[in-house]
Amino acid sequence: VGLIREDCTGYENCYNSLYEWEDTFGGVEFTRGTQVCPKGDLVCIEKIAVAKIDGKWKNADIKHLNITGWRTSSDYHIKIYTTPEARHKGVWDNSKYRLEVSYGSPITVEEPYVRIEGIQIYLNHNESESAGIMLNVSEYSDTRISHNLIKGTGKSMGKGSAGVASFTNTGY
């Protein structure tokens, strides 16, 4: 379990943004017994990678999250979630964890087995063809998105923008 907190003082395997967690493959040790597995290969190590967002948040996380470079399966997936202390209560709350970006899609998922739960996402721009969560996965995937709040700048959102958008990459 990798911990995402605004203040990591006194915590181990802690990151200040989801981007930093993903960039280091969640601090996961990619070995199983004496077997050394490639970085990002959750199937090889037979583990789930978890980003546990916790604590109080005064400032937004402003770094884009691109979930890519992992090997996942239905049993060994990526889970990103907020604890009660960091989670909204069904309405936008600036004192809880939030991912706010000024261009592009805040979250892009390129791996087939990912869970995202309880995040506030804000697209604070007018760009077209962007989404709060952009799914760009193969035709064989099981991505689960729940209990998230996604908002944009309102009527000035760019053409083709969405809360969640999904594209199937068939490799052709």
Side-chain angles (χ1 to χ4, degrees):
V1 175
L3 195 56
I4 317 307
R5 293 181 58 92
E6 187 168 19
D7 181 4
C8 284
T9 306
Y11 294 92
E12 292 184 21
N13 198 34
C14 187
Y15 306 88
N16 298 118
S17 73
L18 282 172
Y19 168 85
E20 292 168 2
W21 173 85
E22 199 279 339
D23 191 50
T24 62
F25 292 100
V28 174
E29 186 68 36
F30 287 95
T31 57
R32 186 180 68 188
T34 59
Q35 181 180 4
V36 177
C37 300
K39 277 197 173 235
D41 192 339
L42 298 174
V43 176
C44 180
I45 61 170
E46 298 180 343
K47 289 186 179 177
I48 296 171
V50 178
K52 177 181 172 182
I53 303 168
D54 190 34
K56 297 181 181 191
W57 290 81
K58 292 180 183 175
N59 299 298
D61 184 349
I62 59 171
K63 295 181 179 179
H64 294 262
L65 172 63
N66 187 15
I67 302 171
T68 189
W70 300 77
R71 181 173 170 230
T72 61
S73 72
S74 58
D75 292 326
Y76 308 112
H77 54 270
I78 296 167
K79 179 180 180 180
I80 300 168
Y81 76 101
T82 50
T83 65
E85 187 176 15
R87 185 179 291 201
H88 61 82
K89 290 182 170 54
V91 295
W92 194 267
D93 186 339
N94 283 334
S95 70
K96 303 296 182 181
Y97 176 83
R98 61 206 184 280
L99 180 59
E100 298 183 10
V101 300
S102 57
Y103 65 92
S105 297
I107 298 176
T108 301
V109 177
E110 296 183 7
E111 299 304 333
Y113 299 95
V114 176
R115 317 291 186 249
I116 301 171
E117 180 183 328
I119 297 176
Q120 297 181 118
I121 301 168
Y122 182 32
L123 288 85
N124 189 14
H125 60 73
N126 298 323
E127 289 185 16
S128 61
E129 307 299 326
S130 58
I133 301 174
M134 180 73 70
L135 305 176
N136 186 14
V137 295
S138 71
E139 58 188 301
Y140 304 106
S141 65
D142 179 10
T143 303
R144 300 177 192 179
I145 300 167
S146 66
H147 300 87
N148 300 292
L149 296 177
I150 303 171
K151 71 176 186 174
T153 56
K155 63 183 176 184
S156 59
M157 285 295 296
K159 178 182 176 186
S161 294
V164 178
S166 178
F167 297 95
T168 300
N169 179 357
T170 60
Y172 300 110

